mmCIF file of all heavy atoms in Angstrom:
data_model
loop_
_atom_site.group_PDB
_atom_site.id
_atom_site.type_symbol
_atom_site.label_atom_id
_atom_site.label_comp_id
_atom_site.label_asym_id
_atom_site.label_seq_id
_atom_site.Cartn_x
_atom_site.Cartn_y
_atom_site.Cartn_z
ATOM 1 N N LEU N 550 14.910 -81.587 28.467
ATOM 2 C CA LEU N 550 13.504 -81.254 28.778
ATOM 3 C C LEU N 550 12.843 -82.438 29.496
ATOM 4 O O LEU N 550 11.989 -82.282 30.367
ATOM 5 C CB LEU N 550 12.709 -80.865 27.534
ATOM 6 C CG LEU N 550 13.090 -79.451 26.990
ATOM 7 C CD1 LEU N 550 12.255 -79.090 25.782
ATOM 8 C CD2 LEU N 550 12.967 -78.353 28.061
ATOM 9 N N ALA N 551 13.294 -83.690 29.155
ATOM 10 C CA ALA N 551 12.784 -84.863 29.844
ATOM 11 C C ALA N 551 13.368 -84.953 31.235
ATOM 12 O O ALA N 551 12.683 -85.317 32.181
ATOM 13 C CB ALA N 551 13.127 -86.090 29.031
ATOM 14 N N LYS N 552 14.628 -84.573 31.354
ATOM 15 C CA LYS N 552 15.360 -84.694 32.619
ATOM 16 C C LYS N 552 14.988 -83.601 33.634
ATOM 17 O O LYS N 552 14.943 -83.842 34.848
ATOM 18 C CB LYS N 552 16.844 -84.620 32.265
ATOM 19 C CG LYS N 552 17.800 -85.215 33.277
ATOM 20 C CD LYS N 552 19.174 -85.362 32.570
ATOM 21 C CE LYS N 552 20.275 -85.649 33.564
ATOM 22 N NZ LYS N 552 21.575 -85.806 32.931
ATOM 23 N N GLY N 553 14.806 -82.382 33.160
ATOM 24 C CA GLY N 553 14.502 -81.311 34.045
ATOM 25 C C GLY N 553 15.770 -80.560 34.549
ATOM 26 O O GLY N 553 16.886 -81.005 34.261
ATOM 27 N N VAL N 554 15.565 -79.486 35.323
ATOM 28 C CA VAL N 554 16.660 -78.699 35.842
ATOM 29 C C VAL N 554 17.533 -79.572 36.803
ATOM 30 O O VAL N 554 16.966 -80.326 37.583
ATOM 31 C CB VAL N 554 16.156 -77.441 36.572
ATOM 32 C CG1 VAL N 554 17.299 -76.728 37.295
ATOM 33 C CG2 VAL N 554 15.502 -76.491 35.553
ATOM 34 N N TYR N 555 18.853 -79.494 36.666
ATOM 35 C CA TYR N 555 19.747 -80.342 37.428
ATOM 36 C C TYR N 555 20.668 -79.480 38.297
ATOM 37 O O TYR N 555 21.270 -78.508 37.798
ATOM 38 C CB TYR N 555 20.573 -81.153 36.440
ATOM 39 C CG TYR N 555 21.620 -82.054 37.008
ATOM 40 C CD1 TYR N 555 21.256 -83.201 37.703
ATOM 41 C CD2 TYR N 555 22.992 -81.766 36.864
ATOM 42 C CE1 TYR N 555 22.217 -84.087 38.205
ATOM 43 C CE2 TYR N 555 23.949 -82.618 37.394
ATOM 44 C CZ TYR N 555 23.565 -83.756 38.050
ATOM 45 O OH TYR N 555 24.545 -84.628 38.530
ATOM 46 N N THR N 556 20.790 -79.778 39.599
ATOM 47 C CA THR N 556 21.681 -79.012 40.423
ATOM 48 C C THR N 556 22.494 -79.962 41.356
ATOM 49 O O THR N 556 21.987 -80.920 41.879
ATOM 50 C CB THR N 556 20.966 -78.013 41.345
ATOM 51 O OG1 THR N 556 19.899 -78.660 42.026
ATOM 52 C CG2 THR N 556 20.445 -76.824 40.586
ATOM 53 N N THR N 557 23.775 -79.639 41.504
ATOM 54 C CA THR N 557 24.618 -80.293 42.482
ATOM 55 C C THR N 557 25.278 -79.177 43.287
ATOM 56 O O THR N 557 24.976 -78.006 43.057
ATOM 57 C CB THR N 557 25.741 -81.154 41.837
ATOM 58 O OG1 THR N 557 26.688 -80.249 41.209
ATOM 59 C CG2 THR N 557 25.193 -82.113 40.778
ATOM 60 N N ASP N 558 26.203 -79.512 44.176
ATOM 61 C CA ASP N 558 26.917 -78.484 44.929
ATOM 62 C C ASP N 558 27.646 -77.500 44.018
ATOM 63 O O ASP N 558 27.793 -76.360 44.339
ATOM 64 C CB ASP N 558 27.896 -79.184 45.881
ATOM 65 C CG ASP N 558 28.670 -78.168 46.729
ATOM 66 O OD1 ASP N 558 27.991 -77.213 47.180
ATOM 67 O OD2 ASP N 558 29.873 -78.327 46.945
ATOM 68 N N ARG N 559 28.151 -77.977 42.876
ATOM 69 C CA ARG N 559 29.000 -77.120 42.035
ATOM 70 C C ARG N 559 28.406 -76.880 40.608
ATOM 71 O O ARG N 559 29.009 -76.137 39.848
ATOM 72 C CB ARG N 559 30.366 -77.722 41.864
ATOM 73 C CG ARG N 559 31.123 -77.773 43.152
ATOM 74 C CD ARG N 559 32.547 -78.214 43.009
ATOM 75 N NE ARG N 559 33.071 -78.522 44.311
ATOM 76 C CZ ARG N 559 33.648 -77.650 45.133
ATOM 77 N NH1 ARG N 559 33.821 -76.436 44.754
ATOM 78 N NH2 ARG N 559 34.039 -77.999 46.325
ATOM 79 N N LEU N 560 27.284 -77.496 40.306
ATOM 80 C CA LEU N 560 26.782 -77.403 38.929
ATOM 81 C C LEU N 560 25.292 -77.092 38.918
ATOM 82 O O LEU N 560 24.524 -77.607 39.780
ATOM 83 C CB LEU N 560 27.037 -78.751 38.233
ATOM 84 C CG LEU N 560 26.607 -78.870 36.781
ATOM 85 C CD1 LEU N 560 27.390 -77.921 35.875
ATOM 86 C CD2 LEU N 560 26.821 -80.313 36.272
ATOM 87 N N ARG N 561 24.898 -76.210 38.025
ATOM 88 C CA ARG N 561 23.463 -76.034 37.759
ATOM 89 C C ARG N 561 23.296 -76.082 36.234
ATOM 90 O O ARG N 561 24.019 -75.449 35.506
ATOM 91 C CB ARG N 561 22.988 -74.727 38.314
ATOM 92 C CG ARG N 561 21.502 -74.507 38.012
ATOM 93 C CD ARG N 561 20.989 -73.147 38.489
ATOM 94 N NE ARG N 561 19.724 -72.842 37.837
ATOM 95 C CZ ARG N 561 18.541 -73.175 38.284
ATOM 96 N NH1 ARG N 561 18.404 -73.750 39.447
ATOM 97 N NH2 ARG N 561 17.411 -72.869 37.603
ATOM 98 N N VAL N 562 22.343 -76.865 35.819
ATOM 99 C CA VAL N 562 21.968 -76.903 34.389
ATOM 100 C C VAL N 562 20.475 -76.560 34.334
ATOM 101 O O VAL N 562 19.635 -77.338 34.726
ATOM 102 C CB VAL N 562 22.220 -78.309 33.786
ATOM 103 C CG1 VAL N 562 21.949 -78.288 32.269
ATOM 104 C CG2 VAL N 562 23.616 -78.804 34.065
ATOM 105 N N GLY N 563 20.204 -75.329 33.877
ATOM 106 C CA GLY N 563 18.813 -74.902 33.940
ATOM 107 C C GLY N 563 18.461 -73.903 32.851
ATOM 108 O O GLY N 563 17.449 -73.165 32.987
ATOM 109 N N SER N 564 19.254 -73.849 31.789
ATOM 110 C CA SER N 564 18.974 -72.850 30.755
ATOM 111 C C SER N 564 19.494 -73.296 29.382
ATOM 112 O O SER N 564 20.349 -74.177 29.310
ATOM 113 C CB SER N 564 19.615 -71.525 31.134
ATOM 114 O OG SER N 564 20.964 -71.676 31.376
ATOM 115 N N PHE N 565 18.950 -72.713 28.370
ATOM 116 C CA PHE N 565 19.383 -72.960 26.997
ATOM 117 C C PHE N 565 19.897 -71.686 26.375
ATOM 118 O O PHE N 565 19.332 -70.613 26.558
ATOM 119 C CB PHE N 565 18.242 -73.492 26.174
ATOM 120 C CG PHE N 565 18.021 -75.003 26.374
ATOM 121 C CD1 PHE N 565 17.249 -75.444 27.421
ATOM 122 C CD2 PHE N 565 18.632 -75.927 25.539
ATOM 123 C CE1 PHE N 565 17.079 -76.799 27.647
ATOM 124 C CE2 PHE N 565 18.449 -77.278 25.741
ATOM 125 C CZ PHE N 565 17.681 -77.738 26.790
ATOM 126 N N LYS N 566 20.986 -71.806 25.582
ATOM 127 C CA LYS N 566 21.551 -70.689 24.889
ATOM 128 C C LYS N 566 21.182 -70.774 23.407
ATOM 129 O O LYS N 566 21.478 -71.757 22.758
ATOM 130 C CB LYS N 566 23.087 -70.743 25.035
ATOM 131 C CG LYS N 566 23.881 -69.836 24.131
ATOM 132 C CD LYS N 566 23.972 -68.423 24.676
ATOM 133 C CE LYS N 566 24.788 -67.459 23.782
ATOM 134 N NZ LYS N 566 26.184 -67.740 23.742
ATOM 135 N N VAL N 567 20.569 -69.711 22.968
ATOM 136 C CA VAL N 567 20.141 -69.631 21.565
ATOM 137 C C VAL N 567 20.848 -68.438 20.906
ATOM 138 O O VAL N 567 21.111 -67.439 21.608
ATOM 139 C CB VAL N 567 18.590 -69.413 21.565
ATOM 140 C CG1 VAL N 567 18.068 -69.255 20.123
ATOM 141 C CG2 VAL N 567 17.883 -70.577 22.270
ATOM 142 N N TYR N 568 21.191 -68.545 19.667
ATOM 143 C CA TYR N 568 21.858 -67.432 18.941
ATOM 144 C C TYR N 568 20.884 -66.767 18.023
ATOM 145 O O TYR N 568 20.351 -67.412 17.108
ATOM 146 C CB TYR N 568 23.034 -67.940 18.128
ATOM 147 C CG TYR N 568 24.293 -68.127 18.947
ATOM 148 C CD1 TYR N 568 24.633 -69.367 19.485
ATOM 149 C CD2 TYR N 568 25.150 -67.057 19.166
ATOM 150 C CE1 TYR N 568 25.756 -69.545 20.232
ATOM 151 C CE2 TYR N 568 26.330 -67.224 19.909
ATOM 152 C CZ TYR N 568 26.626 -68.483 20.425
ATOM 153 O OH TYR N 568 27.762 -68.633 21.151
ATOM 154 N N ALA N 569 20.633 -65.480 18.212
ATOM 155 C CA ALA N 569 19.808 -64.757 17.259
ATOM 156 C C ALA N 569 20.581 -64.200 16.088
ATOM 157 O O ALA N 569 20.160 -64.272 14.945
ATOM 158 C CB ALA N 569 19.045 -63.641 17.956
ATOM 159 N N ASP N 570 21.750 -63.629 16.400
ATOM 160 C CA ASP N 570 22.530 -63.049 15.307
ATOM 161 C C ASP N 570 24.022 -63.203 15.623
ATOM 162 O O ASP N 570 24.413 -63.915 16.510
ATOM 163 C CB ASP N 570 22.160 -61.571 15.068
ATOM 164 C CG ASP N 570 22.377 -60.661 16.253
ATOM 165 O OD1 ASP N 570 22.671 -61.177 17.373
ATOM 166 O OD2 ASP N 570 22.309 -59.430 16.097
ATOM 167 N N GLY N 571 24.846 -62.517 14.818
ATOM 168 C CA GLY N 571 26.298 -62.593 14.972
ATOM 169 C C GLY N 571 26.815 -61.416 15.778
ATOM 170 O O GLY N 571 26.160 -60.993 16.723
#
Side-chain angles (χ1 to χ4, degrees):
L550 288 182
K552 202 166 167 179
V554 171
Y555 177 72
T556 49
T557 70
D558 182 41
R559 296 187 194 270
L560 181 64
R561 179 183 162 89
V562 185
S564 54
F565 279 85
K566 167 84 179 291
V567 177
Y568 278 94
D570 62 348

